[in-house]
Amino acid sequence: MLSYTTYSEAGGVGKTTTAANLAVAHARAGLKILVVPLDPQDGNLSRLMGVDDNRADSEVDNLVLHMIQEPDGPFEDLIRTVEGVDIVTEHNRLAALGSLLRQKRDMQEDLGRSFGMFSQLLRVLRDANVPEQYDVLIVDPPATEGPHLYNAILATGSLVIPVEPSAKGQASVEGLESVVRGLEDQLDMEIGVIAAVPQRFKNTRDQREMLDALAYDAPVVIGDRTSLMEGCWKAQCSAFRYVREFRDRKRDYEIETLAQFDELARHLERQAGVKAPHPPEPGSLEIDTAAEAAEAEVSR
């Protein structure tokens, strides 16, 4: 199984849109995808993909309850499917994840039992047979250090890092390197950065110099697609769906961006030895998954 965490220390660099569009790119190729977003903020992946309608309902089961070993139902009931992607929807309780994990740890330790605060997402996913049922796992934590990030990295073991090709972006990458080294020591594991994804590239001299100095593999470099990504947030969908259903005309540079997400997905799959059964032509706007086709039929 290919598994990775999308993470950047800097906010606003396209972390969540990268996770969502990569997930759809994997699904378009016939792979089974699970996305676990962990961001307690409103601008999260569940919101982007239009599946956040229950996030404020205190009565519904949610991932946090599973992580503190007090679930109200089966893991499968946490999942919503959109654009061929299974998503464990976010809930407002994620804001209290750190304190709830600490309370559970203290209670277990009082009883003479161990409780790994940062291994609970991994436990939940293994108990639900996720490695056997899915081809790709993507976890999208908030852009801050803490239990959300630590659980994400321990569950996936690798990172895909969106970066802004600027002095600010360079500083965030250097900060990330320090974070990764600290996490490797703290979690006693090796963490791999399997790809960097430069975003908002305008081909300036400073940006080219920053890319030349980038320490990580960057298979694609994505241009400034602010309008496209803002449209995705407004329509609550991936870039693939937005271009296909909401653009009145097709723009070549947007088709190129879709092709880049497809190409990046294939690159990541090769890294893990995952073979997509029917990868589409990069950037194709045809509906490639049965779930997407069913959704399109319902919307007619």
Side-chain angles (χ1 to χ4, degrees), residues 17-37:
T17 52
T18 297
N21 286 312
L22 279 173
V24 173
H26 290 304
R28 279 160 49 85
L31 296 172
K32 192 166 170 66
I33 318 302
L34 180 68
V35 179
V36 183

Side-chain angles (χ1 to χ4, degrees), residues 50-65:
V51 290
D52 69 335
D53 43 301
N54 290 327
R55 66 170 296 131
D57 187 344
S58 61
E59 301 298 320
V60 301
D61 193 20
N62 58 82
L63 180 61
V64 173
L65 294 178

